[in-house]
């Protein structure tokens, strides 16, 4: 059984958004096309409370894209984005939501970020997605969405670690590229046995 996992196709990651991924809007059309070809369609939604600890605005003297040490490890700081209930946190208006079986929110705890759809950034606190997929008999996942080198990347690595057969559809993702993160993500995924198409 297969699932299409669509990561964070939200206004704040698209053109005009608070954390716009270059050419982010381009993922919407191919994702809409793909949705009918899977046993399950799952959308994730980055969903932060105002004042989230991943926001540079919460750390005096820090700028977006600076990195800091959090109790759970290193954390890149971001502009305020995807605040719960705001237009920026809403899905891209052209994304087809109707085929979605599950919409999974993440990053909703103030003190910890969650790039991966499977675990928060301590790499230990589960989001519940693994249990959902397993109980539906899903063993094969295809990842799309934003951003290639953050939430798509961490989701793909965790999925592979959890034993899923993982494909990342590059044509349906776009990246941010902070300090070589795009190339690093690509090689780490290759090493983890993830199929990159
Ligand atoms: C993301 C940075 C911060 C993502 C989410 O969806 O890749 N990146 N929050
Ligand atoms: Zn975020």
């Amino acid at each position: 059984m297969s699932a299409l996992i669509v990561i964070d196709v939200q206004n704040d990651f698209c053109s005009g958004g608070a954390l716009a991924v270059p050419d982010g809007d381009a993922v919407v059309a191919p994702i809409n096309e793909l949705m009918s070809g899977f046993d399950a369609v799952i959308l994730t939604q980055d969903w932060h409370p105002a004042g989230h600890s991943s926001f540079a605005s919460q750390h005096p003297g820090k700028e977006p894209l600076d990195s800091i040490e959090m109790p759970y490890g290193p954390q890149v700081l971001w502009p305020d984005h995807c605040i719960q209930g705001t237009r920026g946190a809403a899905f891209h208006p052209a994304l087809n939501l109707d085929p979605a079986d599950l919409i999974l929110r993440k990053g909703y705890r103030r003190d910890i970020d969650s790039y991966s759809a499977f675990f928060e950034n301590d790499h230990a606190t589960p989001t519940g997605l693994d249990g959902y997929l397993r109980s539906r008999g899903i063993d094969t996942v295809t990842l799309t969405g934003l951003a290639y080198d953050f939430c798509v990347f961490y989701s793909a690595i965790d999925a592979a670690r959890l034993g899923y057969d993982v494909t990342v559809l590059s044509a349906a993702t776009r990246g941010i590229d902070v300090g070589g993160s795009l190339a690093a993500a690509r090689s780490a995924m290759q090493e983890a046995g993830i199929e990159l198409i």
Side-chain angles (χ1 to χ4, degrees):
M1 295 274 272
S2 66
L4 178 68
I5 303 182
V6 180
I7 303 288
D8 299 1
V9 181
Q10 293 165 260
N11 290 321
D12 270 344
F13 297 120
C14 294
S15 64
L19 178 37
V21 177
D23 202 29
D25 304 64
V27 306
V28 174
I31 289 171
N32 285 344
E33 291 270 316
L34 285 161
M35 285 176 170
S36 58
F38 293 82
D39 298 310
V41 174
I42 292 144
L43 311 181
T44 70
Q45 195 170 21
D46 209 39
W47 196 249
H48 299 309
H52 191 258
S53 59
S54 74
F55 298 167
S57 61
Q58 301 305 301
H59 303 273
K62 296 291 180 191
E63 305 272 343
L65 306 187
D66 284 351
S67 200
I68 61 163
E69 203 57 40
M70 295 288 230
Y72 54 81
Q75 171 71 46
V76 178
L77 297 176
W78 305 105
D80 289 22
H81 66 279
C82 295
I83 295 173
Q84 296 170 359
T86 63
R87 198 186 154 273
F91 288 109
H92 188 291
L95 183 71
N96 186 6
L97 309 182
D98 295 343
D101 299 341
L102 174 73
I103 295 177
L104 180 103
R105 289 173 169 168
K106 62 186 181 60
Y108 47 74
R109 276 191 250 268
R110 194 194 164 279
D111 295 327
I112 185 166
D113 205 0
S114 187
Y115 293 148
S116 166
F118 292 93
F119 294 101
E120 299 190 9
N121 283 11
D122 59 3
H123 305 294
T125 307
T127 63
L129 182 58
D130 181 41
Y132 177 86
L133 295 174
R134 250 171 238 288
S135 61
R136 286 195 56 183
I138 290 163
D139 53 11
T140 302
V141 297
T142 295
L143 287 153
T144 59
L146 304 170
Y148 179 88
D149 42 347
F150 285 91
C151 291
V152 174
F153 166 60
Y154 284 99
S155 298
I157 291 288
D158 283 345
R161 197 156 48 98
L162 290 165
Y164 295 91
D165 201 321
V166 186
T167 298
V168 173
L169 282 182
S170 305
T173 73
R174 290 292 184 281
I176 299 175
D177 207 11
V178 187
S181 56
L182 217 53
R186 196 175 294 122
S187 60
M189 289 194 284
Q190 270 160 352
E191 245 166 70
I194 293 163
E195 187 167 10
L196 304 177
I197 295 181

